[in-house]
Amino acid sequence: MSENIASINSSAEPEIPSTEGITTKVVKGSLWTLAGTVLPFLASFISIPFVIRFLGTEAYGVLVLVMLIPTYFAFSDFGMGNASTKFASEAYAQGLRKKEGEIVRTAAFIAFLFSFPFTAALFLFSFPIVVFLKVPEYLQSQASAALKITAATFIFAILGGIFNTPQLARLRMDLNTFVNTSGKLIPAVGIPLVLYFGGSIVEAVSVALIAAILILLGHILVSGSLLKELFQTTINREIIKPMLKFGSGWMIAVVASILLVNLEKVFLTGMISVKSLAYYSVAFTFASMATMFSTAMIQSLVPAFSQLLAPEQRAQLDGLFSRSIRLNLIWLLPAVMFLFVIAKPFFTIWAGEDFGRESPIPFYILLSGLFFNILAFVPHSAITAVGRTDVFAKLYWIELFLYVFAVILLINSFGIVGAAMAWSMRVIADAFVIIWLARRIVGVSFKFTSHFANLIFGFLLLLPPMLFAAFYDNFSFWLIVLLPFSTALYALLIWKTFLEREEKIWIKTGIYKMLKLENRNSVK
């Protein structure tokens, strides 16, 4: 199997780019992934009112329910999406194309074996499930059939998240985004159309199934064009054990993380009211927008770090780690300021005066926690790249037991503000632990103390618009003046003190290339 690859000549091995080159790939890949997240979201945002109108509120609720149920079994892929990315990226960096193809097929085989029982259970027990969930009787037969279809969709979605591996290993996020986004736009456009022509819930979820199949086929074709060795039938038995070790830690961690993400929401409903949950959920959803770029960055960072694990690439690994932290810090402070300033008028206009009154305070607290949470994304990716997912499993389950007590105590004392406090305290503690673990396990670190003074000064420059927004209920003309002025001063500070010489050259080169390309296009 893998031993037969020794004869591959050195020209087949990919050249590892410089730190600036791989940083450029990571940033471009992150932007592509971000765009691929935003476009389907906007399309769904536009289409949802039409779907509700065609189906009716109750039937729409059933549609959401049957499409949501399989997502609770996301752990059943046994972490093979991430395992495939990690191990295949290492093989790609070594020029082992045959092994790379074997890893992808092996991951797909393992994921199918573990997810099939959950899919079969959803398929076989679909009717008892919808009855248990108190679906209205006149919709139960439709809901049962729809759940069978979404169970099948679940399998194709899992496989699609594995067969895109050659694209991720090469940091070709443009191709990955094109396939995923094209497929995700199909339900956003297709579901309202089939409902308009008289379709039901069953036809609606069938559109989603078709989209998942097309995404899988698209990834197979695109990945196959990058890696011809993908179109073989063998698997690598030697890699099964390390992949299962990686996947078991990941699966246990995912189960705990699902509980951690939703725990305070469940307790908030039981201890206070459903209305309080609504206020909190709006604040939480809006605050989560701050994570979109960093979340997109993870998909590029894991394969990038995986390719730089060899001792001779140590300097590039350290450089990419430090630069990724720095990039997150640079955009994070002004992003937090912007969200802080617009929160109160946004809640009032979008959701109503009650939300404008109740949601801002928990939002501000959540935002403070997210600042630290986002900084942990990069060390989290580094730990994932070395395969130590077991530490996340241990950490999250320890956090879960402590978090239960904090949630009960703080919600009982402060209501939705207490829920926000509990969540923020947990993610802040989690961030410090993950940063420490990355230093211990991977040997990478970021010298926050050397940048502390500049960060504090930058925060003070951005503080006036935040204070103005916090103390004045109405959006004022002065904010229109303060926002660009504070942002400009912050940008000047970053350029003068925070960026290194190589990073300034990298940014100038990127801007020059963009302007040059625009000039060429204008001439054409």
Side-chain angles (χ1 to χ4, degrees), residues 66 69 120-148:
V66 297
I69 289 172
L122 288 175
F123 191 91
L124 294 173
F125 300 106
S126 61
F127 193 80
I129 290 172
V130 299
V131 172
F132 174 77
L133 293 173
K134 298 181 180 179
V135 171
E137 188 173 348
Y138 76 98
L139 289 172
Q140 286 177 359
S141 60
Q142 285 190 54
S144 176
L147 185 55
K148 293 179 187 296

Side-chain angles (χ1 to χ4, degrees), residues 187-203:
V189 177
I191 289 177
L193 282 176
V194 298
L195 295 177
Y196 175 77
F197 288 105
S200 65
I201 297 172
V202 175
E203 284 76 22

Side-chain angles (χ1 to χ4, degrees), residues 25-37 81-82 85-86 89 160-165 167-178 180-181 184 219 250 291-307 377-378 380-381 384:
K25 285 189 172 185
V26 168
V27 172
K28 285 183 177 179
S30 302
L31 293 174
W32 273 109
T33 305
L34 180 63
T37 302
N82 286 284
T85 300
K86 169 191 159 42
S89 294
I162 293 173
F163 279 100
N164 66 344
T165 296
Q167 301 160 48
L168 302 183
R170 290 155 181 77
L171 296 178
R172 290 302 306 271
M173 303 303 172
D174 52 340
L175 298 176
N176 182 58
T177 298
F178 176 77
N180 284 332
T181 304
K184 290 177 181 178
H219 281 312
W250 188 264
T291 69
M292 292 183 71
F293 179 75
S294 296
T295 302
M297 200 179 220
I298 289 176
Q299 197 168 37
S300 299
L301 281 176
V302 172
F305 284 145
S306 298
Q307 293 176 31
F377 282 23
V378 177
H380 188 284
S381 299
T384 301

Side-chain angles (χ1 to χ4, degrees), residues 88 91 96-106 163 166 227 229-232 234-235:
L96 305 178
R97 296 174 62 88
K98 182 181 178 182
K99 183 177 181 181
E100 183 185 354
E102 289 175 343
I103 288 170
V104 177
R105 294 191 298 273
T106 303
F163 279 100
L227 180 67
E229 291 80 358
L230 184 67
F231 297 121
Q232 296 178 7
T234 58
I235 62 172

Side-chain angles (χ1 to χ4, degrees), residues 450-463:
S450 62
H451 299 283
F452 185 75
N454 292 330
L455 288 173
I456 293 297
F457 192 26
F459 174 75
L460 292 175
L461 289 175
L462 298 173
L463 188 59

Side-chain angles (χ1 to χ4, degrees), residues 265 268-281 355 416:
K265 300 180 183 70
L268 195 59
T269 304
M271 296 175 66
I272 309 295
S273 67
V274 175
K275 185 179 288 187
S276 65
L277 175 63
Y279 296 142
Y280 179 81
S281 296
F355 287 85
I416 62 173

